Amino acid sequence: MASLFSAPTRNLDVVTLHEILRLRQDVFVVEQGAAYADIDGRDLEPGTVQFWAGEGRVDATLRLLREPDGTERIGRVVTAAHARGTGLGAQLMEAAIAETRSPVVVLGAQAHLEDWYGRFGFVRSGDAYTEDAIPHIPMTRMR
């Protein structure tokens, strides 16, 4: 069983931060072919918390952002190819939701994952859009 961890980005050791960023790059940029600015500055905002899972490596990760309007945003949800189907992503989602303080949590889901995010109480909250040539939908979870 993999261990779950969380910490503000600013508190991460350099190796863990490197592994989180590497996994995001491996999946979003290389595997999915989405050339975008993953290192967008939001990881270093006060209140941003990284969640990750694995044994001796980062097999899955996501980040929780606290928005200026009081809502919270879950993003950069990713699982390494070798760890998909193991439940790590679901465990991280549950951990992040448990950490939220806002009654409103939002995310931008890849459209094919709408039902998966629905398992955690997220519902479609707007029109579909395309980001980096991948169909997405906005989703919201209300407490």
Side-chain angles (χ1 to χ4, degrees):
M1 171 122 184
S3 298
L4 301 181
F5 307 93
S6 68
T9 308
R10 293 173 180 263
N11 294 355
L12 294 178
D13 64 86
V14 69
V15 173
T16 301
L17 178 59
H18 175 271
E19 290 301 301
I20 287 170
L21 296 174
R22 180 201 48 78
L23 177 57
R24 289 173 14 185
Q25 173 185 273
D26 287 351
V27 174
F28 296 135
V29 178
V30 177
E31 180 182 325
Q32 296 182 352
Y36 75 108
D38 177 50
I39 301 175
D40 59 2
R42 303 233 39 210
D43 291 302
L44 293 179
E45 291 177 0
T48 298
V49 178
Q50 303 290 334
F51 291 79
W52 70 98
E55 285 300 327
R57 64 182 175 194
V58 175
D59 292 323
T61 187
L62 63 77
R63 71 179 180 187
L64 176 63
L65 303 171
R66 295 195 164 90
E67 302 286 12
D69 67 0
T71 63
E72 292 177 280
R73 174 174 297 278
I74 293 175
R76 302 297 201 262
V77 181
V78 62
T79 301
H82 70 269
R84 292 182 193 145
T86 63
L88 287 181
Q91 291 174 48
L92 290 178
M93 284 295 294
E94 290 166 356
I97 290 167
E99 181 90 10
T100 62
R101 297 178 283 208
S102 173
V104 181
V105 182
V106 299
L107 56 81
Q110 290 187 7
H112 72 280
L113 294 172
E114 180 176 4
D115 290 340
W116 188 79
Y117 286 110
R119 295 174 34 193
F120 307 102
F122 287 89
V123 296
R124 182 188 291 243
S125 56
D127 294 332
Y129 61 95
T130 301
E131 186 174 309
D132 300 312
I134 298 171
H136 282 72
I137 56 169
M139 298 187 81
T140 302
R141 182 181 192 277
M142 306 292 287
R143 243 184 251 217

